[in-house]
Amino acid sequence: MAEIESCFVFNASTKQSIFLCFQASNESLKMELLADVPLLPGEERVIDKDIIYICPFNGPVKGRVFITNYRLFFRSVDVDPAVTLNVPLGVISRVEKMGGASSRGENSYGLDITCKDMRNLRFALKQEGHSRRDIFDILFRYAFPLSHGLQLFAFLSQEKYQENGWTVYNPVQEFRRQGLPNDQWRITFLNNNYELCDTYPTILVVPYSASDEDLRKVATFRSRGRIPVLSWIHPENQAVITRCSQPLVGMSGKRNRDDERYLDIIRATNKMTSKLTIFDARPNVNAVANKATGGGYEGEDAYQNAELVFLDIHNIHVMRESLKKLKDIVYPNVEESHWLSSLESTHWLEHIKLVLSGAIQVADKISTGSSVVVHCSDGWDRTAQLTSLAMLMLDSYYRTFRGFQVLLEKEWISFGHKFASRIGHGDKNHADADRSPIFLQFIDCVWQMTKQFPTAFEFNERLLVAVLDHLYSCRFGTFLYNCESARDANEVKMKTVSLWSFINSDRASYINPFYTVEFVHVLYPVASMRHLELWVSYYIRWNPRIRQQQHSPMEQRYKELLALKEQYLRKLEELQLSDSTSHLSNSTAPSPSTPSQRVTHLQTPF
Amino acid sequence: RHNGSQTAPLVPVSSVCVSFAGEIVVSEVNFVRKCMGTVTTRDDLWGKLICTNFKVSFVTHDPSRQVRKFQYCNRLLGDHDVPLACVEQLVTVNDTTGKQKVLLSNRKLKFSPTELIIYCKDFRILRFRFDESGPESAKKVCLAIAHYCQPADPLLLFGFEYVGKRYDGSSGDQISTADLSARLRTPLFDCSSDWDREIKRTGASEWRVCSLNEGYAVSPSLPEHFVVPVSLADQDLRQFSCSFAGQRIPLWCWNHPNGSALVRMASIRDVAHQRKLEQRVCSAVTRSHPKRSDVLQSNLDRSLPRIQDVQTSLVKLRQICVFGGSEESEDKWFSSMESSGWLENVRAFLQHSIEVVHMLEGRGMSVILQEEEDRDLSCVVSSLVQLMLDPHFRSIEGFQSLVQKEWVMAGHRFLDRCNHLKKSSKEESPLFLLFVDCVWQLMNQFPSAFEFTEIYLAVLCDSMWIPVFSTFLFNCPRQRAEHSRDFAQSRYLFLGEEKTLRFPPVWDWSQQFSHRDQALFNSPFYVGKRAAPCVQNGAVKTFKRTKKSYSSTLRGMPSMQNGMLGRHGSLPRRNSLILRFRPESPARREAPESTLDHFTRDWLSRPADPHGLLLPQLLPSHLKLWRLYFLRWVPEARIPHGGMVMALHKLSLLADEIETLQMKLRQYSGGPTPGCSSDRVTLSPEQRRMYFRGSPLPITPQQPEYLSSAFPFSPVGNLSRPEVLGTPLRKFLSGARLWLSSETLVNQTP
C-alpha cells in the first residue's frame, strides 16, 4: 500500500486545474472522461498503449499511457491506489528512444523523456511489433507541434472562463496609475505599427521634450531599436527606471549625439538627478566583448552626466548550464553526501544573489531620488529581471495579486522577453542555444523575496508554481511568442485563453493569507547567501519521499484558525441573540434550533 | 489610547547598572567607547565599563542615546551586558605598540590596552575602546574581567552568591520553596512522585520507582529516584550496579502506548559478566513488555559523532556565521557550512532517533540506548525520540520536564560541557545546543506541533550562560547537593530540610522575564489546541489538558503493532541497532532494509498529524541553518520588516482574537450578568497568551516597525541608527566587512 502511494507522482497544479475549470465554466462545458482520462475542452485523444513506467523511486509500474493533443497521461493497472502521471506535452523538451531491438535486460527498450520542469520520465515497451515507433512518432509530433506544422494546444483549446485574463493589463491604464503622462513624460504611439522597434510594445512612455524624430534617431544607435523608455516612475521624487538595449558603440567606439542628448534629457526630467546611473547588467568583460559584435556600453567621455555600473550578471548560456547542474543534484535523488558544496558548485543561488543585489541597487538609487537606465545586451533578459524586481521592491502594487500579473504582462511579455526562444514552445530542437531559464530565475528571485517578507505579497507560492507550470504547458496564450508584434500577427488574444483567466477564476487558491495591505515602504531583501535558499518545493517536488503540501503548514494553520474564529463569532452571535430573546420574552422557550446547533459545530479537533 | 499591538514594551536604554542580590562591582572604568564596527564612528556609544562578579556591564550615559526602542528585557541583564560565563575569549590590543594579547586569569598584562574585544559563546562580539579613559583603570577592568570569568572553584560561580543571599534574610526577595513550586508546574523529577506520575501517564505498569540511590548511596551520577523494571528487586540492582560504568543502573525513560519501553544504560565495565548481565537486563526489559517483545540495544558511541566532533563543528560554525559576511567568504558560504559539519551532526542525531522511533512504534520493540557513560549522546537521542513520539513533550511544561528528566536528572555534565570553570576545553561540548537545534528542525517542519516558539528555544540556550540556574550549573544532582552543603558550611547557612541550596531552575522564567515578555514563548500555531472550548447543551466547557488527557492522547496514537510485531525476519542492519536476542537465527542476519523505508513511507502516505508521530524529513536539502539563533547578532544578516516573525505577528493577532472569543463564550456558560454587556468582557493581560495582541477597536493593527528577522534580539538595537534601516544596500556593500579586522586579529593572536 504505502509503496504505491508514495509512487503517486502527479503534477499537482495541472491536475487541480482540470477540476477547477469545471467550476469556472459552471459545468456547462463538455467534459470528456474517456477511460478515466480527464480531458480539457478541445483536448482529443490520440493514442493509448500498454506500457511500463520506470519510476526512478519505486521501480517499474505497469499501466496504460494515453496521449492527447495536450498531455501524456499514465495510469497504472493492478496497483491500488493508482500511480498516475499527468504531463502536459508542452513540458517535454526531448524524447529519445532507449535501447534497440536487440537490447537485453528487462525494461531496457523504450522511451526516455526529458522535461523542462526538472524531471525525466522513462517508459519501457515490449520489443515486438512496431509498438515503440508508433508511440514515439506520435509523441514527437504532438510534443513538438510547431516542428511538424501543427498548432499549439492553446489554439485548439475550447476552455471558457468567466474572467477574461486578456483585460488584466492595459498599458495606458497602468501608466495612468503611475501618474503618467505628466509634464515631463508623454505617452507615444510612435510604435503603433512596430516600425520604431518590432520587439517593443505599441505604447511607450518617453521624455516630453524628446521629439518623435529624436526617438527615431536614438533607435538607430540602440541594438534592435530598443530605445530607453520609461518602466516606472517614483510617485514622490519622480526618479525613473528606464530600460533599453546596449548602445551600438562597436570596435571603433562610435558616438551618437542624439543618444547622448536623449539620455541627458532623461536625467533632466528629475531635478535631483545630477548624474544618471546606467546599470549595465553584464560583467564588465562581457560588455567589452560585445563591442566586437557592434555593441558595447556608454563610455565615460561620451556620457558625461552619467555613471556606469556593471552588475556582473552572467548571460543566458551560463544560467542554462547552472540549472542543468542543479537538476543533476536534485533529480531523481537529492545528492546526499555533499549536498551543500554540490549546491554551491551549481552556482544557481549565486546567480540569484547577483540578480537580486542588482535589483536592490536599482531600487536603492530610485528611492534616494536618482533616475536610472537599465540595460544588458538586447534588453530583454537580464534587463527584464532587474526592472521587474526593482519595481516589485519599490511599488507595493506589484505585490498584489493583480499587480503581479500586470508586472509580468508589462515588463516581460509586452517588452519582448523572448519566451518562445527561451522556452522553445512546441519546438523539437532541445539543444537550441537560445533556450535559457531566465524567467524561472526571476520567479525564483520573487520566491526568495516572499520568503524574506512573508506578509508583503498578496499571492502565495502556488501562484508562482502555477505560472511556471503554464510557462511550459502551452495551454494558455500568455507566454507564447517572443514579442507583442508576433502575438498580434498570430491573433493570440483572439484565439487563445489567457493564463490569468484561469488563475483569476480561482483566486482563493492563490491568495497569501498573511498578506498585510499596509506594507507600503520599499522592500529590501537581504541578498546574502545566508538568507538565500533553494526553492525545494519547486525543484524537488517530484520526489515522493517528501511530503507534498498543497499549502505551507503556516498557511494551513492560518486558514484553520480563521475558520475557528468564524465559528466562534457565529456561536457568540447565536448566544447573544437567544440571550436577548429570552430577556424579551421570559416565558418563551429557547428557539428549538439553538441547542442542537450548539453541539454540532464547535467540536473542532484542535 | 488604544493603539493595539503597537504598545510593545518599550524600555529605555539602561542608564544604570542592574545589580541584584549577591552582585558586587569589582572594577569599573569611565569614558569608554563601545564600538559598533571595526572603525570608530559617531554611532559609537560612550559610557562606563563595569566588571561585577556576574557580568561585564556597559552603562551608557549618553543622553542622545536615550532612544526608546524595542528589546525584550532580561531582568538579570541590561542591554549591553554579557554574563561572565558567556565570555569565550578576551583580547586586549594596544594600538600604538601594535601589541595584542589573549587575556587569561592571573596572567599579567604588560601594556595598557587601548581596546578590549570580547568574544562571546552566544556568537556576539563586543568591542570597547579606552582612548579617553584612564589607562590604569582600563587595564584593571580588563584584568578583573579575565580573572572573574575563570572561577577557580565551582563555589565561586555566581549562582552561589545569588542564591546564598536569600538565606541571609537581608534580601527582600526571599522566596520559600512552597512559593516556587506553586509558581512552577514543571515536574523536576527530584522526587519519587514525579516519576510515579510519569509511569501512570505513559501506562508503564510493569515499571516501578526505585529509591535505592537515596543519599546517592549507589551511584554518584544517578538521581536519587529513577524507574526500573518491576521484575528487578533492589537487591539485584545494587549487585548489578558495581558492574556498570559509574555504577549507573539502567534507567527507564519512557513507555510507548504499545508497551515498548525506552531505556538508557551505561557500558558494563566488568567484562567477565558482561554477557550475562546484558542478558539479565534485556530479559527484565522484555518481561516488562506486555507482549514480551524483543529488546534492541542501540550502541550510540559506535554510530554517532563524538562529543568533541560536535564541539569542533560548533567552533567552525561560529567562525562562519560571524565572519562569513565578507565578499570573499560569501561565495563559499555553503561549502563552509558543509565543512563545519554542524548540520551533518544534527542530521546524524535525528536519523538515529528516527531509527529508534521505528523500533518502538513500528516494530513494537523496546530499545536500550547504550553509551559509555550514558550521560551525553543518550540525553540527545532519548529526548528526541520522546519528542517525536509523544505530543505531551511538545507542550512547554512537557518539554521542560523532558529536559529535566533526560538531561538534568540523568546527569548530563552541564558544568563540564558548558565549561563554566574554563578549566579544560576538552570537556566542552555544545550537546544541549545540538539537541535544541534538532528540536528547531522538527519545529521548522511541523510548526503547529509545538506549544513554544523558536524564541523560547533561543532564550533557553542563552540561559546556559547565566550561571544561577540549577538546570545548567552542575554535572549531576549529587554534585549540586555536595556543593550546596560545602557552600552552606562555609557561609554558616542553615539549609533546613531541603539539604540543597534553592537554586531556581531555568524553568522559573520570572527570574529573567516579565510575564509580558514570557508571552514571546507561546506559539500562535498552538492556539485552540490547548484549551479548546466545547459547547454542550449550551454550556461551554473547557478541556484543560490535564495529565489525564495527555495519556489519553498518547493511547489514541495510531500504532502499527499489529502485523508488524509477529513478522519475523525483518530487521534493520543499519548502524547500531543490533538484536541481542537470538542472534543465532540466520534469517535475521539478512535484513531487508526496506522496513524503516516502509515505515517512513507509510507515515508519509497519511496526513500529517501534529498530535501524532513526527518524522522529520532528513534530506540535506530540508535541513536548515537555525538563522534566528546563529545569525541574530550579525547586523548585515538582519532583514528589517522581514523574516518569519512577520507571519507570526499576523497569526498571533488572530490567535489572540480567538482566545478573546473563547473567553466570551465561556462567559456565557456562567450566564450573563444583568446590566453588563458581554462586549465589555475582555481577557485580563495575564490571561492573554499571545505576545502580539489584537486591538479592541475594529482597526487593522499596524505591523510594528521594530520587527525584523532577528526579533526579539537586536543586532543593531544598540546602535540606534535609524538611517541604517532604510539603506540595507550600504550595509550589504560595506557592512559586510564589518568583522574583518577582528578576524585577522584572531589569526594573529597565539
Side-chain angles (χ1 to χ4, degrees):
Chain A
M1 275 283 283
E3 265 163 24
I4 297 137
E5 178 69 22
S6 55
C7 199
F8 192 77
V9 183
F10 65 93
N11 180 330
S13 62
T14 316
K15 192 179 165 116
Q16 184 77 5
S17 65
I18 297 154
F19 301 107
L20 292 172
C21 72
F22 259 133
Q23 300 165 348
S25 53
N26 286 337
E27 296 176 35
S28 62
L29 290 170
K30 192 185 77 181
M31 190 73 166
E32 208 180 340
L33 280 160
L34 188 93
D36 276 355
V37 184
L39 295 183
L40 295 170
E43 185 178 356
E44 277 166 15
R45 197 181 63 87
V46 181
I47 192 175
D48 58 71
K49 205 168 208 69
D50 286 332
I51 209 162
I52 295 164
Y53 165 53
I54 304 169
C55 174
F57 308 101
N58 301 297
V61 186
K62 270 188 199 166
R64 198 162 178 82
V65 68
F66 301 83
I67 292 169
T68 73
N69 51 358
Y70 172 65
R71 81 185 84 206
L72 178 158
F73 185 89
F74 171 83
R75 182 189 293 275
S76 63
V77 289
D78 305 333
V79 271
D80 184 51
V83 176
T84 56
L85 285 172
N86 192 349
V87 188
L89 297 178
V91 161
I92 296 171
S93 84
R94 178 181 192 174
V95 185
E96 281 192 319
K97 290 174 185 165
M98 141 186 109
S102 58
S103 6
R104 286 160 183 271
E106 214 180 341
N107 303 328
S108 62
Y109 178 81
L111 297 172
D112 193 346
I113 299 170
T114 310
C115 297
K116 296 168 182 173
D117 62 356
M118 306 294 284
R119 58 183 161 160
N120 286 2
L121 305 170
R122 299 182 104 190
F123 293 100
L125 288 145
K126 290 200 186 85
Q127 264 146 310
E128 57 255 21
H130 294 296
S131 64
R132 183 172 71 174
R133 201 175 67 197
D134 293 349
I135 195 157
F136 176 82
D137 288 349
I138 282 168
L139 204 54
F140 207 73
R141 259 170 83 82
Y142 284 92
F144 311 120
L146 296 186
S147 304
H148 295 90
L150 297 173
Q151 277 189 306
L152 291 167
F153 179 73
F155 290 91
L156 306 169
S157 170
Q158 303 290 317
E159 288 183 83
K160 300 253 176 339
Y161 294 95
Q162 282 166 337
E163 289 271 333
N164 179 7
W166 293 122
T167 61
V168 163
Y169 175 58
N170 175 331
V172 174
Q173 219 176 330
E174 162 59 16
F175 284 125
R176 205 167 284 154
R177 187 192 67 84
Q178 294 187 23
L180 297 167
N182 62 15
D183 55 354
Q184 294 288 348
W185 295 88
R186 67 188 175 96
I187 291 177
T188 174
F189 297 90
L190 185 63
N191 200 35
N192 223 355
N193 298 313
Y194 306 108
E195 279 160 351
L196 181 74
C197 170
D198 61 353
T199 57
Y200 262 6
T202 52
I203 294 162
L204 300 170
V205 172
V206 294
Y208 194 82
S209 41
S211 69
D212 285 358
E213 195 43 42
D214 292 337
L215 301 179
R216 284 199 193 91
K217 283 180 189 159
V218 172
T220 62
F221 192 63
R222 290 279 161 178
S223 178
R224 296 166 204 271
R226 295 173 68 94
I227 61 166
V229 293
L230 181 143
S231 270
W232 191 77
I233 183 163
H234 195 287
E236 276 131 38
N237 65 31
Q238 303 291 304
V240 293
I241 302 177
T242 52
R243 58 181 291 172
C244 59
S245 60
Q246 63 182 342
L248 297 173
V249 176
M251 292 296 268
S252 55
K254 270 191 300 235
R255 286 180 61 168
N256 183 305
R257 300 277 167 213
D258 298 302
D259 191 73
E260 289 163 23
R261 204 173 64 86
Y262 182 70
L263 285 196
D264 204 50
I265 289 174
I266 291 177
R267 180 194 61 81
T269 58
N270 177 14
K271 286 157 211 80
M272 281 165 72
T273 311
S274 57
K275 274 210 171 213
L276 183 69
T277 310
I278 302 171
F279 285 106
D280 189 326
R282 301 165 293 184
N284 196 340
V285 277
N286 294 27
V288 174
N290 257 289
K291 284 188 174 180
T293 50
Y297 53 91
E298 293 82 355
E300 258 175 57
D301 302 339
Y303 300 83
Q304 297 211 334
N305 288 328
E307 59 165 342
L308 184 65
V309 179
F310 291 103
L311 293 176
D312 288 327
I313 302 168
H314 285 278
N315 63 26
I316 59 166
H317 311 294
V318 175
M319 302 309 180
R320 181 180 57 237
E321 292 315 307
S322 175
L323 185 69
K324 223 176 242 169
K325 284 186 197 159
L326 182 63
K327 183 171 174 176
D328 286 344
I329 65 163
V330 299
Y331 190 89
N333 288 305
V334 173
E335 167 73 44
E336 290 215 35
S337 51
H338 293 285
W339 165 253
L340 288 173
S341 50
S342 309
L343 180 62
E344 185 175 284
S345 66
T346 69
H347 299 290
W348 182 253
L349 287 174
E350 206 182 309
H351 295 313
I352 295 279
K353 174 189 151 174
L354 282 169
V355 173
L356 270 175
S357 65
I360 291 171
Q361 293 181 58
V362 173
D364 190 56
K365 271 281 175 232
I366 295 293
S367 57
T368 50
S370 198
S371 291
V372 303
V373 174
V374 182
H375 72 71
C376 46
S377 297
D378 290 310
W380 51 44
D381 293 312
R382 287 166 276 197
T383 303
Q385 289 179 331
L386 289 169
T387 56
S388 54
L389 285 171
M391 286 156 75
L392 210 51
M393 292 171 198
L394 289 161
D395 190 340
S396 60
Y397 170 70
Y398 297 121
R399 296 173 222 144
T400 64
F401 190 69
R402 254 315 153 96
F404 186 65
Q405 298 173 12
V406 168
L407 184 72
L408 296 188
E409 286 282 352
K410 180 178 183 309
E411 289 305 299
W412 289 85
I413 298 165
S414 84
F415 273 97
H417 172 68
K418 301 206 295 175
F419 281 104
S421 306
R422 297 289 175 257
I423 307 302
H425 291 132
D427 178 62
K428 67 176 180 181
N429 188 8
H430 62 85
D432 189 345
D434 256 354
R435 294 200 185 172
S436 186
I438 299 301
F439 185 73
L440 165 66
Q441 194 174 45
F442 158 73
I443 294 288
D444 195 330
C445 290
V446 176
W447 178 82
Q448 304 283 352
M449 285 180 70
T450 63
K451 280 295 273 189
Q452 294 194 17
F453 302 99
T455 57
F457 293 82
E458 196 184 6
F459 51 88
N460 61 11
E461 188 181 39
R462 282 192 68 194
L463 177 80
L464 299 178
V465 174
V467 164
L468 289 177
D469 280 341
H470 293 296
L471 169 68
Y472 306 121
S473 76
C474 298
R475 178 172 158 193
F476 303 104
T478 303
F479 296 120
L480 302 183
Y481 300 101
N482 281 335
C483 54
E484 212 178 85
S485 60
R487 251 167 251 127
D488 274 3
N490 288 285
E491 297 173 285
V492 168
K493 286 192 183 185
M494 310 275 288
K495 293 181 173 168
T496 72
V497 177
S498 161
L499 170 61
W500 313 126
S501 307
F502 166 71
I503 297 279
N504 295 341
S505 303
D506 182 29
R507 195 173 184 272
S509 301
Y510 303 105
I511 290 292
N512 169 21
F514 294 104
Y515 176 59
T516 306
V517 188
E518 66 209 315
F519 207 94
V520 284
H521 48 249
V522 187
L523 222 58
Y524 289 111
V526 174
S528 153
M529 281 304 175
R530 287 184 276 223
H531 280 289
L532 298 183
E533 277 180 34
L534 184 71
W535 185 9
V536 288
S537 42
Y538 179 74
Y539 298 111
I540 317 188
R541 63 180 161 151
W542 307 119
N543 193 322
R545 306 223 160 109
I546 294 160
R547 191 181 282 278
Q548 303 299 335
Q549 280 153 325
Q550 283 282 307
H551 291 282
S552 76
M554 299 256 304
E555 231 177 289
Q556 195 69 42
R557 186 72 193 137
Y558 193 84
K559 286 183 176 165
E560 284 166 10
L561 286 187
L562 268 184
L564 189 66
K565 178 185 151 187
E566 287 311 309
Q567 244 170 45
Y568 283 169
L569 279 174
R570 252 199 331 269
K571 194 71 245 161
L572 201 64
E573 221 167 83
E574 260 171 47
L575 285 169
Q576 278 165 347
L577 203 71
S578 67
D579 202 34
S580 58
T581 40
S582 67
H583 270 293
L584 286 171
S585 49
N586 272 331
S587 53
T588 32
S591 82
S593 65
T594 27
S596 59
Q597 277 183 354
R598 277 174 198 169
V599 191
T600 43
H601 285 298
L602 273 175
Q603 304 260 11
T604 30
F606 284 107
Chain B
R1 296 228 56 202
H2 294 288
N3 45 358
S5 65
Q6 279 175 300
T7 47
L10 294 164
V11 286
V13 172
S14 69
S15 52
V16 281
C17 178
V18 190
S19 70
F20 43 84
E23 187 171 10
I24 42 165
V25 172
V26 177
S27 181
E28 56 179 56
V29 55
N30 251 312
F31 309 112
V32 176
R33 182 201 277 262
K34 183 182 176 185
C35 301
M36 293 309 165
T38 41
V39 284
T40 50
T41 64
R42 61 187 176 86
D43 302 306
D44 295 341
L45 294 175
W46 289 93
K48 195 201 279 185
L49 186 66
I50 304 162
C51 172
T52 77
N53 55 347
F54 166 57
K55 65 182 180 232
V56 181
S57 187
F58 178 77
V59 175
T60 179
H61 33 63
D62 195 336
S64 64
R65 304 296 179 192
Q66 300 289 328
V67 213
R68 287 167 75 83
K69 60 175 177 53
F70 169 79
Q71 196 179 35
Y72 83 112
C73 174
N74 192 315
R75 285 174 172 171
L76 301 180
L77 294 165
D79 284 354
H80 306 279
D81 296 355
V82 178
L84 292 166
C86 189
V87 174
E88 170 79 28
Q89 197 177 49
L90 292 167
V91 177
T92 44
V93 185
N94 185 298
D95 279 349
T96 43
T97 59
K99 280 183 184 157
Q100 298 168 350
K101 186 178 162 80
V102 176
L103 274 191
L104 296 167
S105 178
N106 294 324
R107 297 283 173 80
K108 281 184 183 144
L109 182 58
K110 285 177 190 148
F111 57 88
S112 308
T114 53
E115 188 170 319
L116 171 71
I117 304 171
I118 304 179
Y119 293 87
C120 302
K121 299 211 182 199
D122 64 1
F123 289 40
R124 268 186 294 176
I125 300 176
L126 304 178
R127 238 177 116 231
F128 298 101
R129 289 198 58 89
F130 305 115
D131 302 301
E132 312 287 324
S133 34
E136 273 315 302
S137 30
K139 193 170 169 178
K140 261 187 204 158
V141 162
C142 291
L143 288 171
I145 296 170
H147 179 75
Y148 276 86
C149 71
Q150 197 174 346
D153 184 282
L155 298 192
L156 292 173
L157 284 166
F158 177 67
F160 287 93
E161 287 297 335
Y162 180 71
V163 178
K165 267 287 175 285
R166 300 184 176 187
Y167 292 83
D168 288 353
S170 60
S171 164
D173 65 340
Q174 189 168 0
I175 37 157
S176 74
T177 325
D179 282 350
L180 187 67
S181 49
R183 205 158 62 194
L184 207 71
R185 280 174 296 145
T186 304
L188 298 176
F189 290 97
D190 52 357
C191 53
S192 57
S193 57
D194 285 345
W195 288 104
D196 252 333
R197 263 191 296 272
E198 188 65 4
I199 287 176
K200 289 207 183 75
R201 190 185 71 81
T202 58
S205 50
E206 294 297 308
W207 298 81
R208 67 174 180 95
V209 181
C210 161
S211 300
L212 190 64
N213 203 34
E214 258 183 333
Y216 308 100
V218 174
S219 165
S221 66
L222 285 183
E224 292 191 281
H225 313 277
F226 48 87
V227 175
V228 295
V230 165
S231 59
L232 291 178
D234 278 5
Q235 221 176 323
D236 303 329
L237 292 170
R238 192 191 302 276
Q239 191 198 332
F240 289 174
S241 67
C242 321
S243 308
F244 284 98
Q247 288 78 51
R248 286 176 71 96
I249 297 159
L251 296 175
W252 171 88
C253 305
W254 182 76
N255 244 53
H256 191 280
N258 68 18
S260 343
L262 182 66
V263 177
R264 47 195 286 180
M265 179 173 109
S267 66
I268 298 167
R269 288 280 155 86
D270 187 353
V271 189
H273 296 108
Q274 190 178 355
R275 200 173 162 76
K276 207 177 141 201
L277 197 54
E278 269 180 6
Q279 293 259 351
R280 287 215 51 191
V281 172
C282 287
S283 67
V285 173
T286 302
R287 236 172 288 155
S288 286
H289 194 291
K291 294 208 169 67
R292 303 289 179 266
S293 197
D294 287 342
V295 178
L296 279 153
Q297 248 174 287
S298 168
N299 189 316
L300 304 182
D301 294 311
R302 242 178 271 163
S303 47
L304 288 170
R306 296 175 310 140
I307 61 162
Q308 290 82 5
D309 301 339
V310 177
Q311 169 69 5
T312 315
S313 69
L314 184 77
V315 170
K316 284 186 189 158
L317 184 68
R318 184 187 290 138
Q319 280 287 321
I320 299 158
C321 288
V322 176
F323 303 122
S326 62
E327 298 286 345
E328 308 85 67
S329 55
E330 167 84 9
D331 294 342
K332 294 267 164 257
W333 172 257
F334 287 111
S335 47
S336 346
M337 279 286 295
E338 183 177 294
S339 68
S340 81
W342 179 260
L343 283 175
E344 206 42 51
N345 286 336
V346 166
R347 193 169 165 223
F349 278 91
L350 283 169
Q351 179 66 46
H352 197 88
S353 306
I354 285 182
E355 283 166 23
V356 174
V357 164
H358 167 225
M359 287 300 129
L360 290 164
E361 158 112 4
R363 311 221 13 227
M365 293 167 122
S366 293
V367 177
I368 299 178
L369 304 175
Q370 195 174 24
E371 192 196 352
E372 183 60 31
E373 281 204 295
D374 182 34
R375 296 172 72 178
D376 289 305
L377 309 177
S378 314
C379 302
V380 185
V381 174
S382 73
S383 22
L384 284 177
V385 167
Q386 293 172 61
L387 266 171
M388 290 180 197
L389 283 165
D390 190 342
H392 165 61
F393 295 120
R394 298 175 214 144
S395 69
I396 291 180
E397 295 302 332
F399 180 75
Q400 297 182 162
S401 76
L402 182 69
V403 173
Q404 199 63 34
K405 181 162 73 94
E406 298 302 330
W407 292 78
V408 182
M409 283 302 140
H412 178 67
R413 301 174 193 273
F414 275 110
L415 183 71
D416 295 346
R417 298 291 172 254
C418 293
N419 201 9
H420 282 318
L421 302 178
K422 304 212 170 43
K423 258 187 183 156
S424 155
S425 50
K426 269 181 213 154
E427 290 291 314
E428 188 171 344
S429 180
L431 270 191
F432 189 71
L433 177 63
L434 183 84
F435 160 66
V436 173
D437 195 333
C438 292
V439 178
W440 181 83
Q441 303 287 347
L442 279 165
M443 179 191 276
N444 187 43
Q445 295 188 18
F446 309 98
S448 50
F450 292 87
E451 191 189 6
F452 42 89
T453 56
E454 61 173 327
I455 296 169
Y456 169 83
L457 293 178
V459 166
L460 178 60
C461 290
D462 289 344
S463 306
M464 274 199 283
W465 313 117
I466 301 176
V468 300
F469 305 115
S470 59
T471 323
F472 301 124
L473 216 43
F474 305 102
N475 282 338
C476 57
R478 182 189 170 192
Q479 192 188 34
R480 175 183 163 194
E482 279 180 355
H483 287 163
S484 292
R485 202 184 51 224
D486 295 349
F487 184 80
Q489 275 171 4
S490 71
R491 295 291 173 96
Y492 307 107
L493 301 178
F494 177 64
L495 292 181
E497 287 170 24
E498 297 160 49
K499 290 178 285 187
T500 59
L501 285 168
R502 290 187 297 261
F503 289 96
V506 69
W507 320 126
D508 182 9
W509 290 108
S510 58
Q511 297 277 336
Q512 290 189 72
F513 303 102
S514 67
H515 192 275
R516 183 74 181 84
D517 279 354
Q518 285 178 50
L520 283 168
F521 299 166
N522 299 326
S523 165
F525 285 106
Y526 211 70
V527 167
K529 290 183 180 168
R530 211 163 72 139
C534 168
V535 183
Q536 283 175 334
N537 299 327
V540 186
K541 283 185 184 166
T542 22
F543 287 111
K544 274 254 162 91
R545 285 190 49 155
T546 57
K547 295 253 151 79
K548 201 172 175 186
S549 66
Y550 283 140
S551 77
S552 67
T553 5
L554 200 66
R555 294 235 172 80
M557 268 170 23
S559 88
M560 298 189 45
Q561 43 175 294
N562 294 330
M564 295 296 283
L565 260 178
R567 213 197 287 170
H568 281 271
S570 49
L571 174 82
R573 76 175 167 227
R574 300 182 63 168
N575 291 339
S576 60
L577 293 171
I578 311 152
L579 191 79
R580 301 309 284 239
F581 266 48
R582 282 176 278 171
E584 65 280 1
S585 162
R588 291 182 174 270
R589 203 155 304 150
E590 155 199 18
E593 210 156 353
S594 62
T595 39
L596 176 58
D597 242 32
H598 188 277
F599 176 68
T600 326
R601 274 190 227 171
D602 184 66
W603 180 80
L604 271 175
S605 70
R606 283 176 277 139
D609 173 14
H611 287 301
L613 169 69
L614 304 183
L615 285 184
Q617 177 56 254
L618 294 188
L619 281 176
S621 50
H622 286 68
L623 291 182
K624 305 273 162 68
L625 177 74
W626 183 15
R627 293 201 187 95
L628 179 73
Y629 184 82
F630 293 112
L631 298 178
R632 59 196 160 145
W633 305 117
V634 184
E636 65 271 17
R638 175 178 172 272
I639 312 170
H641 314 292
M644 259 297 254
V645 70
M646 302 305 291
L648 218 66
H649 171 256
K650 181 123 180 168
L651 194 64
S652 297
L653 298 181
L654 180 58
D656 183 55
E657 233 179 310
I658 285 174
E659 283 189 338
T660 313
L661 281 171
Q662 284 176 341
M663 175 67 187
K664 282 184 187 169
L665 283 168
R666 236 170 275 150
Q667 212 82 27
Y668 265 96
S669 70
T673 356
C676 170
S677 160
S678 59
D679 289 326
R680 297 238 185 92
V681 176
T682 43
L683 286 169
S684 69
E686 284 74 41
Q687 283 171 300
R688 293 170 87 166
R689 292 177 60 253
M690 290 299 106
Y691 185 79
F692 302 112
R693 290 163 189 186
S695 146
L697 294 175
I699 51 149
T700 336
Q702 296 272 319
Q703 286 178 329
E705 282 296 306
Y706 53 73
L707 290 185
S708 82
S709 60
F711 177 86
F713 310 99
S714 170
V716 287
N718 297 337
L719 283 92
S720 63
R721 279 189 296 183
E723 69 269 29
V724 172
L725 300 180
T727 54
L729 172 65
R730 242 156 285 153
K731 271 199 298 167
F732 170 71
L733 295 175
S734 62
R737 280 176 219 102
L738 200 67
W739 296 115
L740 256 189
S741 72
S742 335
E743 187 186 22
T744 33
L745 189 77
V746 165
N747 297 336
Q748 283 162 18
T749 44

